[in-house]
Protein backbone atom coordinates (compact mmCIF):
# COMPACT_ATOMS: atom_id res chain seq x y z
CA UNK A 1 0.00 0.00 0.00
CA UNK A 2 1.41 3.33 -1.06
CA UNK A 3 1.11 6.15 1.51
CA UNK A 4 1.69 9.79 0.88
CA UNK A 5 4.22 11.74 2.95
CA UNK A 6 1.40 13.40 4.87
CA UNK A 7 -0.23 10.05 5.67
CA UNK A 8 3.08 8.57 6.83
CA UNK A 9 3.68 11.56 9.12
CA UNK A 10 0.19 11.16 10.58
CA UNK A 11 0.78 7.42 11.05
CA UNK A 12 4.01 8.04 12.95
CA UNK A 13 2.25 10.68 15.03
CA UNK A 14 -0.50 8.23 16.05
CA UNK A 15 2.13 5.57 16.80
CA UNK A 16 4.01 7.89 19.16
CA UNK A 17 0.74 8.90 20.83
CA UNK A 18 -0.35 5.28 21.21
CA UNK A 19 2.70 4.22 23.26
CA UNK A 20 2.15 6.58 26.22
CA UNK A 21 -1.60 6.01 25.95
CA UNK A 22 -1.15 2.24 26.30
CA UNK A 23 1.26 2.77 29.19
CA UNK A 24 -1.25 5.07 30.90
CA UNK A 25 -4.10 2.60 30.40
CA UNK A 26 -2.08 -0.34 31.76
CA UNK A 27 -0.41 1.45 34.68
CA UNK A 28 -3.18 3.86 35.73
CA UNK A 29 -6.61 3.02 34.38
CA UNK A 30 -6.53 -0.80 34.66
CA UNK A 31 -5.39 -0.83 38.34
CA UNK A 32 -8.02 1.80 39.17
CA UNK A 33 -10.79 -0.26 37.56
CA UNK A 34 -9.45 -3.40 39.26
CA UNK A 35 -9.59 -1.66 42.65
CA UNK A 36 -13.19 -0.62 41.97
CA UNK A 37 -14.08 -4.21 41.06
CA UNK A 38 -12.33 -5.62 44.16
CA UNK A 39 -14.15 -3.14 46.40
CA UNK A 40 -17.43 -4.81 45.40
CA UNK A 41 -16.21 -8.28 46.44
CA UNK A 42 -15.16 -10.01 49.64
CA UNK A 43 -11.63 -10.33 48.29
CA UNK A 44 -9.72 -12.33 50.88
CA UNK A 45 -6.36 -13.45 49.44
CA UNK A 46 -6.36 -16.44 51.80
CA UNK A 47 -9.58 -17.76 50.28
CA UNK A 48 -10.31 -19.06 46.76
CA UNK A 49 -13.88 -17.73 46.97
CA UNK A 50 -14.36 -14.04 46.29
CA UNK A 51 -18.12 -13.51 46.42
CA UNK A 52 -19.80 -10.35 45.16
CA UNK A 53 -21.00 -8.26 48.12
CA UNK A 54 -22.09 -5.06 46.39
CA UNK A 55 -21.65 -2.00 48.61
CA UNK A 56 -21.22 -3.95 51.87
CA UNK A 57 -17.55 -2.93 52.18
CA UNK A 58 -18.55 0.73 51.95
CA UNK A 59 -21.29 0.24 54.56
CA UNK A 60 -18.75 -1.35 56.94
CA UNK A 61 -16.43 1.54 56.20
CA UNK A 62 -19.10 4.00 57.31
CA UNK A 63 -19.28 2.32 60.73
CA UNK A 64 -15.50 1.82 61.07
CA UNK A 65 -14.20 4.15 63.79
CA UNK A 66 -10.57 3.52 62.83
CA UNK A 67 -11.33 4.62 59.25
CA UNK A 68 -12.77 7.92 60.50
CA UNK A 69 -9.74 8.38 62.76
CA UNK A 70 -7.46 7.83 59.75
CA UNK A 71 -9.57 10.25 57.66
CA UNK A 72 -9.33 12.92 60.38
CA UNK A 73 -5.56 12.44 60.68
CA UNK A 74 -5.20 12.71 56.91
CA UNK A 75 -7.22 15.93 56.93
CA UNK A 76 -4.91 17.31 59.65
CA UNK A 77 -1.85 16.41 57.57
CA UNK A 78 -3.31 18.42 54.68
CA UNK A 79 -4.54 21.39 56.71
CA UNK A 80 -1.26 21.77 58.61
CA UNK A 81 1.37 20.89 56.01
CA UNK A 82 0.08 22.55 52.80
CA UNK A 83 -0.30 26.12 54.17
CA UNK A 84 3.06 25.83 55.96
CA UNK A 85 4.80 24.61 52.80
CA UNK A 86 3.28 27.43 50.75
CA UNK A 87 4.02 30.22 53.24
CA UNK A 88 7.54 29.09 54.15
CA UNK A 89 8.38 28.25 50.53
CA UNK A 90 7.29 31.68 49.31
CA UNK A 91 9.05 33.45 52.20
CA UNK A 92 12.35 31.68 51.56
CA UNK A 93 12.05 32.13 47.77
CA UNK A 94 11.47 35.89 48.11
CA UNK A 95 14.41 36.14 50.53
CA UNK A 96 16.74 34.23 48.19
CA UNK A 97 15.65 36.35 45.22
CA UNK A 98 16.45 39.50 47.14
CA UNK A 99 20.12 38.57 47.63
CA UNK A 100 22.66 39.18 44.89
CA UNK A 101 25.37 36.69 45.87
CA UNK A 102 25.35 32.91 46.44
CA UNK A 103 21.75 32.61 45.23
CA UNK A 104 22.49 29.23 43.63
CA UNK A 105 24.17 28.03 46.81
CA UNK A 106 21.15 28.85 48.98
CA UNK A 107 18.81 27.25 46.45
CA UNK A 108 20.91 24.07 46.51
CA UNK A 109 21.00 23.96 50.32
CA UNK A 110 17.22 24.09 50.53
CA UNK A 111 16.74 21.57 47.70
CA UNK A 112 19.08 18.87 49.08
CA UNK A 113 16.53 17.44 51.59
CA UNK A 114 13.99 17.02 48.80
CA UNK A 115 16.27 14.76 46.75
CA UNK A 116 17.38 12.80 49.81
CA UNK A 117 15.79 9.41 50.37
CA UNK A 118 12.56 9.80 52.36
CA UNK A 119 13.34 6.57 54.22
CA UNK A 120 16.75 7.89 55.33
CA UNK A 121 15.28 11.26 56.30
CA UNK A 122 12.52 9.59 58.32
CA UNK A 123 14.94 7.42 60.29
CA UNK A 124 17.30 10.31 61.05
CA UNK A 125 14.39 12.42 62.34
CA UNK A 126 13.08 9.42 64.26
CA UNK A 127 16.41 9.18 66.01
CA UNK A 128 16.35 12.92 66.81
CA UNK A 129 12.85 12.48 68.25
CA UNK A 130 13.90 9.67 70.63
CA UNK A 131 12.62 10.28 74.12
CA UNK A 132 15.82 9.00 75.68
CA UNK A 133 19.00 10.23 74.02
CA UNK A 134 17.33 12.07 71.15
CA UNK A 135 18.84 15.33 69.95
CA UNK A 136 15.78 17.46 70.67
CA UNK A 137 15.34 16.21 74.22
CA UNK A 138 19.04 16.66 74.93
CA UNK A 139 18.72 20.30 73.85
CA UNK A 140 15.59 20.77 75.98
CA UNK A 141 17.25 19.21 79.04
CA UNK A 142 20.37 21.35 78.60
CA UNK A 143 18.09 24.42 78.67
CA UNK A 144 16.42 23.20 81.87
CA UNK A 145 13.17 22.29 80.08
CA UNK A 146 11.32 18.98 80.53
CA UNK A 147 11.80 16.19 77.99
CA UNK A 148 8.98 15.66 75.50
CA UNK A 149 7.42 12.40 74.34
CA UNK A 150 7.43 13.39 70.61
CA UNK A 151 6.70 10.25 68.53
CA UNK A 152 5.78 8.19 71.61
CA UNK A 153 3.06 10.65 72.67
CA UNK A 154 -0.36 10.47 70.93
CA UNK A 155 -0.83 14.22 71.34
CA UNK A 156 2.49 15.12 69.64
CA UNK A 157 3.23 12.32 67.17
CA UNK A 158 1.17 13.63 64.24
CA UNK A 159 2.76 17.08 64.46
CA UNK A 160 6.25 15.50 64.61
CA UNK A 161 5.58 13.57 61.40
CA UNK A 162 4.11 16.67 59.73
CA UNK A 163 7.21 18.69 60.62
CA UNK A 164 9.36 16.19 58.72
CA UNK A 165 7.05 16.33 55.69
CA UNK A 166 7.20 20.14 55.61
CA UNK A 167 10.97 20.23 56.16
CA UNK A 168 11.68 17.82 53.31
CA UNK A 169 9.23 19.36 50.81
CA UNK A 170 10.30 22.95 51.50
CA UNK A 171 13.14 22.90 48.96
CA UNK A 172 10.82 21.90 46.12
CA UNK A 173 8.42 24.73 46.96
CA UNK A 174 11.32 27.20 47.09
CA UNK A 175 12.59 26.19 43.64
CA UNK A 176 9.14 26.39 42.04
CA UNK A 177 8.38 29.74 43.69
CA UNK A 178 11.76 31.08 42.51
CA UNK A 179 10.88 30.07 38.95
CA UNK A 180 7.49 31.78 39.34
CA UNK A 181 9.06 34.96 40.72
CA UNK A 182 11.46 35.10 37.78
CA UNK A 183 8.46 34.99 35.42
CA UNK A 184 6.85 38.11 36.96
CA UNK A 185 7.54 41.00 34.54
CA UNK A 186 9.69 43.64 36.23
CA UNK A 187 7.95 46.47 34.35
CA UNK A 188 4.82 46.09 36.51
CA UNK A 189 6.85 46.37 39.71
CA UNK A 190 8.75 49.38 38.39
CA UNK A 191 5.51 51.08 37.32
CA UNK A 192 4.02 50.50 40.79
CA UNK A 193 7.13 51.94 42.48
CA UNK A 194 6.99 55.02 40.24
CA UNK A 195 3.38 55.49 41.38
CA UNK A 196 4.59 55.50 44.99
CA UNK A 197 3.77 51.95 46.04
CA UNK A 198 5.78 50.55 48.95
CA UNK A 199 7.67 47.24 48.72
CA UNK A 200 4.86 45.47 50.59
CA UNK A 201 2.18 46.89 48.28
CA UNK A 202 4.22 45.86 45.21
CA UNK A 203 4.41 42.33 46.57
CA UNK A 204 0.77 42.23 47.74
CA UNK A 205 -0.90 43.72 44.67
CA UNK A 206 1.53 42.93 41.83
CA UNK A 207 3.81 39.97 42.59
CA UNK A 208 1.40 37.77 44.54
CA UNK A 209 -1.52 37.95 42.03
CA UNK A 210 0.85 37.15 39.16
CA UNK A 211 2.10 34.14 41.14
CA UNK A 212 -1.41 32.65 41.22
CA UNK A 213 -0.71 29.82 38.70
CA UNK A 214 2.34 28.79 40.77
CA UNK A 215 0.36 28.90 44.02
CA UNK A 216 -2.47 26.83 42.51
CA UNK A 217 -0.03 24.24 41.16
CA UNK A 218 1.81 23.87 44.47
CA UNK A 219 -1.40 23.83 46.52
CA UNK A 220 -2.92 21.05 44.42
CA UNK A 221 0.31 19.05 44.38
CA UNK A 222 0.83 19.48 48.11
CA UNK A 223 -2.73 18.43 48.88
CA UNK A 224 -2.45 15.28 46.78
CA UNK A 225 0.90 14.37 48.37
CA UNK A 226 -0.46 14.95 51.89
CA UNK A 227 -3.57 12.86 51.20
CA UNK A 228 -1.23 10.05 50.11
CA UNK A 229 1.26 10.34 52.98
CA UNK A 230 2.77 6.94 53.76
CA UNK A 231 6.57 6.60 53.79
CA UNK A 232 7.23 8.93 56.70
CA UNK A 233 4.62 7.19 58.86
CA UNK A 234 5.86 3.76 57.87
CA UNK A 235 9.43 4.52 58.92
CA UNK A 236 8.83 6.77 61.92
CA UNK A 237 6.11 4.81 63.74
CA UNK A 238 6.99 1.17 63.06
CA UNK A 239 9.95 -1.14 62.72
CA UNK A 240 10.35 -0.01 59.12
CA UNK A 241 8.79 -3.15 57.70
CA UNK A 242 5.21 -2.42 58.65
CA UNK A 243 5.78 -4.13 62.00
CA UNK A 244 5.17 -2.68 65.42
CA UNK A 245 2.74 0.13 66.13
CA UNK A 246 2.37 1.33 62.55
CA UNK A 247 0.30 4.53 62.56
CA UNK A 248 0.58 4.76 66.34
CA UNK A 249 0.67 5.42 69.13
CA UNK A 250 -3.06 4.68 69.46
CA UNK A 251 -3.62 5.41 65.74
CA UNK A 252 -2.62 9.04 66.32
CA UNK A 253 -0.55 9.15 63.09
CA UNK A 254 -2.60 6.69 61.06
CA UNK A 255 -3.38 8.02 57.56
CA UNK A 256 -5.79 6.60 55.00
CA UNK A 257 -3.00 5.11 52.88
CA UNK A 258 -1.42 3.46 55.92
CA UNK A 259 -4.82 2.07 56.89
CA UNK A 260 -5.20 0.69 53.34
CA UNK A 261 -1.80 -0.97 53.73
CA UNK A 262 -2.74 -2.51 57.09
CA UNK A 263 -6.03 -3.85 55.77
CA UNK A 264 -4.40 -5.27 52.62
CA UNK A 265 -1.20 -6.75 54.02
CA UNK A 266 -1.94 -7.29 57.73
CA UNK A 267 -5.50 -8.64 57.43
CA UNK A 268 -5.34 -9.60 53.70
CA UNK A 269 -8.77 -8.00 53.19
CA UNK A 270 -8.14 -6.70 49.68
CA UNK A 271 -11.81 -5.94 49.05
CA UNK A 272 -12.09 -3.74 52.14
CA UNK A 273 -8.74 -2.07 51.38
CA UNK A 274 -9.92 -1.41 47.82
CA UNK A 275 -13.08 0.23 49.16
CA UNK A 276 -10.91 2.66 51.16
CA UNK A 277 -8.84 3.23 48.00
CA UNK A 278 -11.97 4.17 46.03
CA UNK A 279 -13.02 6.59 48.78
CA UNK A 280 -9.54 8.13 48.85
CA UNK A 281 -9.62 8.52 45.05
CA UNK A 282 -12.96 10.35 45.33
CA UNK A 283 -11.57 12.62 48.09
CA UNK A 284 -8.51 13.52 46.00
CA UNK A 285 -10.67 14.22 42.94
CA UNK A 286 -13.10 16.45 44.85
CA UNK A 287 -10.32 18.28 46.74
CA UNK A 288 -8.46 18.97 43.50
CA UNK A 289 -11.57 20.32 41.73
CA UNK A 290 -12.43 22.55 44.71
CA UNK A 291 -8.90 23.95 44.91
CA UNK A 292 -8.81 24.66 41.18
CA UNK A 293 -12.19 26.40 41.44
CA UNK A 294 -11.43 28.42 44.58
CA UNK A 295 -7.77 29.35 44.08
CA UNK A 296 -7.57 30.01 40.34
CA UNK A 297 -7.67 33.69 39.46
CA UNK A 298 -7.38 35.38 36.07
CA UNK A 299 -5.03 38.33 36.51
CA UNK A 300 -4.48 40.96 33.82
CA UNK A 301 -2.70 44.31 34.09
Amino acid sequence: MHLSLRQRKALWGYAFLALPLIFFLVVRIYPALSALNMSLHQWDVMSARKPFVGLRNFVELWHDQVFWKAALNTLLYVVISVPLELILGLLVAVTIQSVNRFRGFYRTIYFVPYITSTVAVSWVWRWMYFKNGGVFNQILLSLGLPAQSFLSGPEQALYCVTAVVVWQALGYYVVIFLAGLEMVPSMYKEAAKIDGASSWHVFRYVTLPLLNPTVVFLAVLGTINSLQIFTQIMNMTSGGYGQGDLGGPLNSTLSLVVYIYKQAFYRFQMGYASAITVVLFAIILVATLIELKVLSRRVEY
Side-chain angles (χ1 to χ4, degrees), residues 127 129-135 137-138 141 147-149 152:
W127 169 73
Y129 279 135
F130 276 169
K131 188 173 182 179
N132 299 317
V135 173
N137 270 334
Q138 287 185 359
L141 291 173
Q148 299 298 314
S149 52
S152 58

Side-chain angles (χ1 to χ4, degrees), residues 40 52 62 72 83 96 116 135 137 141 151 166 173 181 184 192 221 250-251 255 260 285 287 291:
L40 303 175
F52 179 78
W62 181 261
L72 176 61
I96 291 177
T116 305
V135 173
N137 270 334
L141 291 173
L151 290 174
V166 173
Y173 280 71
L181 289 170
V184 175
L221 188 70
L250 301 176
N251 292 327
S255 69
I260 292 170
L285 179 63
E291 283 189 323

